[in-house]
Amino acid sequence: NPLPRVPAIAVSPAGLATTASLIQSAGIAQRDLLAQQEPLVRQNGRARPATMVATNPGLFTQSKPEDRRVVPDDPNGRVVFKVVYVVLESQYQASLTTACKRINAGQPGVAVECSGYILEELRDEANYEQFKKDVAEANIFIGSLIFVQELADKVVAAVEPNRDNLDAVCVFPSMPAVMRMNKIGSFTMASMGQSKNVMVDFMKKNKPSGTSFQDGMLKLVRTLPKVLKYLPGDKAKDARSFMMSLQYWLGGSPENIEALLLNLASNYVPEVMEKGMLNEMPVLEPEVIPDRGIWHPVAGKVFETPAEYMQWLREEHAPSVGIDVDTAPVVGIVLQKSHINTKDDAHYVSFIMELESRGALVLPTYTGALDFSVCIDEYFFLNGKTLVDSVINLTGFALVGGPATQDHPKAVATLQKLDRPYLCAVPATFQTFEEWKDSELGLHPVQVALQVALPELDGAIEPIIYAGRDGVTGRSIPQADRIEVLARRALKWASLRRKEVKDKKVAITVFSFPPDKGNVGTAAYLNVFGSIFECLKAMKAEGYEVGELPESVEDLVDEVLHEKEARLASPQLNVEYKMSVSEYKELTPYASELEENWGPPPGQLNSDGANLLVYGKRFGNVFIGVQPSFGYEGDPMRLLYAKSASPHHGFAAYYTYVEKVFGADAVLHFGTHGSLEFMPGKQVGMSGGCYPDRLIQSTPNLYYYAANNPSEATIAKRRSYANTISYLTPPAENAGLYKGLKELGELVGSYQGLRESGRGSTIVNSIVATARQCNLDKDVDLPGEEDDTAELTLEQRDRVVGRVYSKIMEIESRLLPCGLHTVGVPPTAMEAVATLVNIASIDRPEESIKSLPRSIAEAIGRDIEQIYRNSDNGVLEDATLRQNIVTATRAAVQACVDRSTDANGRVTEVKSLFDNMADMFMGGSPMKRALADNGFTVSDDAIAPLFKYLEFCLKQVVADNEMGALLDGLNGKFITPGPGGDPIRNPLVLPTGKNMHALDPQAIPTTAACDCAKIVVDRLLERQAADNDGAYPESIAFVLWGTDNIKTYGESLAQVLWMVGVRPLPDSLGRVNQIEAIPLEELGRPRIDVVVTCSGVFRDLFINQMNLLDRAVKLVAELDEPLEMNFVRKHALEQAEEMGVS
């Protein structure tokens, strides 16, 4: 499959008013690289037709609800009742269809007409209009797992107006607003929480904490007899009907669903009741399997304990299929009960059979709740020992909470206790198999958010598609080649735990970053060969066979590259293996497909003309290899943009060697970043034709990735199945001043002491002249070259010097990374100080922690924001004060770290900062004394919360788990997940050595991000107004990057929303997907129009936020406000007039 040049996606609301905003997607989906995409909605005020996200083919399912409509062939005088259902997933479709057909074929007095919708289909306006029509004509409405807010809103909007006319509304676990529509006779949830009710009280007392509504409902069903005796007769009957309906629904089989429909019709559809059509029908008890257990397709029963199942497995089943129980790996599987109930289990059965055919024992567990962690806690341990070697979650959902409310800390704690590789495979339930197969996107964005991004927060890896939905029947279709890949990879991970360390083979892969620049063996912020040398020493200590190690890093470089400045095409690179063309063709099944772009092998790259060359060096069971280039000489990035492209033969040969010749048990990609994950193929949800999948084959992929780059790490996780391990980026230090800028700083210092003397104006003239030499006149308003500052007043001279001083301080304080990081070597104390100074300089309202600059300012009766504002405006006194505060902050943090610094200049043990009684007799803590030495008197009480937080941060900064995580990964253990991003803004990024993930795409922007965004936007607009005689800009351009929004939890997104005067709000589950317009009285300024350019990564990671922007612009464009106070509306109306539309 070629690398998709995915059409840029315009997030434009319906209606012309939305053209007030340009949401342009720039670049290919795989990377934040600018591509030649045309603006989509508006450029320079000119409107163009825009594509709506909601109906854009390839983004959402195009399956047709009409295909599953059931209509009785011949009612023949029978009473026909109508049913409409909406479900998140399709496994109930077949049971519902079969149940309706059984009723129509077997009931003499009634027939049923049934209309069914998969939740995602309601995005299509035609489908939604038909849905509303069907609901208006229905007797019974059924909904289940409606957990997507915008679609839940649509369901409520369609059903609520018809609720009184519907005979029954049965909504099973869904968003609260949807649940409140339940109506079974007198039983209703609309008043839940508003009135005294025995059932409500019971629910509140018995709902399991940290899990979902469904778990509470299941508990309620089990204890129903206790509750019903307290209810009046009619209410007991209706409550019993609802709980019985839930049991039928959870039972899931056609027989259960038939009983559900007939019971509702006989008790609540008036015409059926009046004519007594079903009075003689016996009430069937729901046929259900246990709420949870161990299910094997050939066992004939559900096992309730692991001991019982393992006995059957070892004594009966394994011998019958020829599996050696003493040597076989054990794979634990987590399943969804609803697929077993509804007999929609072909994909489960196929996968279990595939594992067993490869000699593995399988432990398949299920639960009917949305807390799947119970499967792990109850069934994967026996007598205190872990039974499984690897785990696969086949539900595709987060481990705790599924598609509803997730509890990631609980999930992580469960998986840490299990300590096994955790894979979360994906059934393509939100789209049909054909849609996934034909799509260049792969998985639809909503499914990526629910079934890829959220499981990653639990620590899940390898989102491999293993099944797809049939567009007609709704049943899951097992994908044979994907199931084979998933099984092979799961068993490879399992073998890492079982294999002797001395026998394991590891392929370490280094890159050329950037390509074709003589940088073989380099990576972002990383000392690659120094780190590899440390890894080899650690592996040797663990018992790995690493041969004879070089004595130094320089010797290691020489053995692999022969020349430090080697290029990929360099003849000096060491050739570890020569692969003949015949061997290459035999071992690389897709070799012939590469010939379209590269001709017959061996080609000209990584070739000696007769053989394909694998560059690198082998040290015992460790191979250090050089990943080949993208392939286009002189234009190595061209592959990213090519529509029809493929890796070259040398690239394919390298990974063929790793898997099939060297026989690697794992590959370690070393540093940010290589080319594998950017090879052509789908964006997420690889097929067998996608080159990342073809290249990595079955080899477990560990990947050292810079902690500050979670967006591209996410691409590596999803496209090349990487288990990432974050490494620390070098500490950021102030850039400082040099040459002319340093001289300028010294002149300012001189002026401050002589400003009122006769030399003051002379020094100002020198400052102005030097500022021009340093090109500061481009940024600072300076007197003319012919002007003599002696003619200025003292206040005016101060303002000139203040503006220059403010600018050079801005330059001096810019953060630059210092040096390169070495894996396994924690930062020095001085490096820790650099990081902590920046952490201490940020307010953290969510932690109730004030920044140190703010505490210092408050101690002298000032507001730090006013000091910053005055300094930016060139007030010399405050510019000087600001610099003094910066100096004092560093001194206090230095004093903090000095307490824990050993003789080698490193922090090995962090000492508590406020437990030394001697400080009470020495003028307070070292931090307080350091501030006093710099002229600021601040109490220990005022700074104690901050420095206790810094104590925690210091422990995280110097902790070193990068090497430990690698060794755990190589031993088939669970690598703890953690966020990627900026460790200064989010110290939870530390310690590094975590399986890095991005964030919950539905959780941004956070409240803290919105608070920061307001400050930034307000400052910007104030400055713009000051520079333009009080006039606000009508339009401001933004670029939204994926990485930046992950680091800041959506701060730049929040800036856009604050510009237009919109406040993001969480829904009932805490997900940020609602908005409200901020009143102009509160805003205090006009709404500013925005022109937004989105990177490809932002577009793909944050589809919900794209929709949020879409709705925000439409909302403000439609407000009835004065045009001089709403530039979004003003521009929309101008465009409407220009285009001749209303």
Side-chain angles (χ1 to χ4, degrees), residues 283-527:
V283 178
L284 299 176
E285 286 297 312
E287 298 178 9
V288 296
I289 60 176
D291 290 339
R292 56 180 178 264
I294 304 173
W295 170 85
H296 193 288
V298 302
K301 61 175 288 189
V302 171
F303 300 91
E304 298 189 7
T305 68
E308 180 188 12
Y309 175 77
M310 293 306 291
Q311 181 179 1
W312 170 82
L313 187 66
R314 293 177 179 276
E315 295 179 4
E316 296 184 36
H317 183 63
S320 71
V321 293
I323 298 175
D324 185 343
V325 296
D326 296 321
T327 61
V330 180
V331 179
I333 300 178
V334 177
L335 307 173
Q336 208 169 346
K337 183 189 175 190
S338 58
H339 282 282
I340 299 171
N341 285 336
T342 59
K343 305 297 190 291
D344 183 25
D345 55 11
H347 52 320
Y348 291 170
V349 175
S350 296
F351 185 62
I352 293 169
M353 298 299 103
E354 180 67 28
L355 285 171
E356 291 185 343
S357 72
R358 294 178 177 276
L361 298 174
V362 186
L363 183 50
T365 66
Y366 74 87
T367 176
L370 295 178
D371 182 358
F372 302 106
S373 67
V374 297
C375 295
I376 293 175
D377 291 333
E378 295 192 14
Y379 305 123
F380 290 172
F381 297 93
L382 184 61
N383 301 325
K385 295 183 179 180
T386 305
L387 288 173
V388 298
D389 298 302
S390 62
V391 177
I392 309 172
N393 180 350
L394 292 185
T395 73
F397 290 119
L399 189 64
V400 181
T405 305
Q406 293 77 38
D407 187 344
H408 299 295
K410 180 180 179 181
V412 171
T414 298
L415 293 167
Q416 284 176 322
K417 177 184 175 184
L418 184 70
D419 203 19
R420 295 292 184 267
Y422 173 61
L423 289 68
C424 189
V426 182
T429 53
F430 289 72
Q431 62 203 109
T432 66
F433 163 65
E434 291 79 10
E435 287 173 329
W436 166 75
K437 182 178 68 173
D438 296 338
S439 170
E440 292 181 334
L441 282 172
L443 281 181
H444 286 175
V446 173
Q447 187 159 3
V448 171
L450 277 177
Q451 296 193 291
V452 180
L454 292 179
E456 285 174 349
L457 305 186
D458 298 338
I461 55 176
E462 310 212 359
I464 298 172
I465 306 295
Y466 72 100
R469 170 167 64 89
D470 180 78
V472 177
T473 67
R475 289 195 170 276
S476 296
I477 305 172
Q479 305 304 313
D481 69 312
R482 300 290 81 209
I483 282 177
E484 179 187 354
V485 167
L486 180 59
R488 288 168 55 206
R489 295 192 62 80
L491 293 178
K492 264 295 192 70
W493 278 110
S495 71
L496 286 175
R497 201 192 78 79
R498 303 177 71 88
K499 200 168 188 177
E500 292 287 337
V501 169
K502 63 180 178 62
D503 297 325
K504 291 179 187 175
K505 293 183 177 182
V506 180
I508 297 176
T509 299
V510 300
F511 316 122
S512 176
F513 182 88
D516 201 38
K517 299 296 181 185
N519 291 321
V520 174
T522 61
Y525 306 119
L526 188 64
N527 175 1

Side-chain angles (χ1 to χ4, degrees), residues 45 95 146 164 268 476 651 781-782 810 854 872 1063 1113:
S95 287
I146 300 172
D164 291 342
Y268 300 104
S476 296
F651 203 101
D781 185 16
L782 299 174
E810 179 184 324
R854 184 174 298 279
D872 291 342
R1063 181 183 290 117
V1113 172

Side-chain angles (χ1 to χ4, degrees), residues 118-135:
I118 307 302
L119 186 59
E120 283 295 307
E121 292 171 343
L122 298 185
R123 294 183 186 276
D124 184 279
E125 284 304 316
N127 288 345
Y128 184 59
E129 289 302 318
Q130 183 61 49
F131 170 66
K132 289 193 292 185
K133 181 180 178 183
D134 288 338
V135 169

Side-chain angles (χ1 to χ4, degrees), residues 920-997:
M920 300 299 294
F921 303 100
M922 298 174 60
S925 69
M927 294 75 72
K928 177 183 176 181
R929 297 198 301 271
L931 292 173
D933 291 343
N934 282 270
F936 298 104
T937 302
V938 188
S939 69
D940 273 333
D941 288 342
I943 60 176
L946 171 66
F947 279 97
K948 286 178 181 177
Y949 183 73
L950 291 183
E951 178 184 340
F952 159 77
C953 293
L954 179 59
K955 292 176 182 177
Q956 306 307 305
V957 168
V958 300
D960 177 25
N961 192 44
E962 295 168 0
M963 194 68 72
L966 171 63
L967 296 174
D968 284 347
L970 291 175
N971 286 330
K973 295 183 178 181
F974 180 71
I975 299 179
T976 300
D982 182 1
I984 293 170
R985 284 182 175 270
N986 180 18
L988 294 179
V989 169
L990 305 171
T992 46
K994 296 175 180 174
N995 178 10
M996 184 167 48
H997 57 69

Side-chain angles (χ1 to χ4, degrees), residues 1-7 9 29-30 56-62 428 430-448 465 482 643 679-691 719 1099-1100:
N1 285 0
L3 178 75
R5 185 194 295 276
V6 180
I9 303 164
Q30 280 87 347
N56 191 29
L59 279 178
F60 303 102
T61 184
Q62 302 297 305
F430 289 72
Q431 62 203 109
T432 66
F433 163 65
E434 291 79 10
E435 287 173 329
W436 166 75
K437 182 178 68 173
D438 296 338
S439 170
E440 292 181 334
L441 282 172
L443 281 181
H444 286 175
V446 173
Q447 187 159 3
V448 171
I465 306 295
R482 300 290 81 209
K643 178 70 176 176
M679 283 293 163
K682 298 180 187 296
Q683 290 180 26
V684 182
M686 301 295 101
S687 71
C690 298
Y691 284 104
R719 302 192 79 245
R1099 176 195 63 202
D1100 300 333

Side-chain angles (χ1 to χ4, degrees), residues 191-197 200-201 204:
S191 59
M192 271 197 159
Q194 300 175 10
S195 62
K196 291 292 182 181
N197 181 304
V200 174
D201 292 340
K204 289 179 178 178

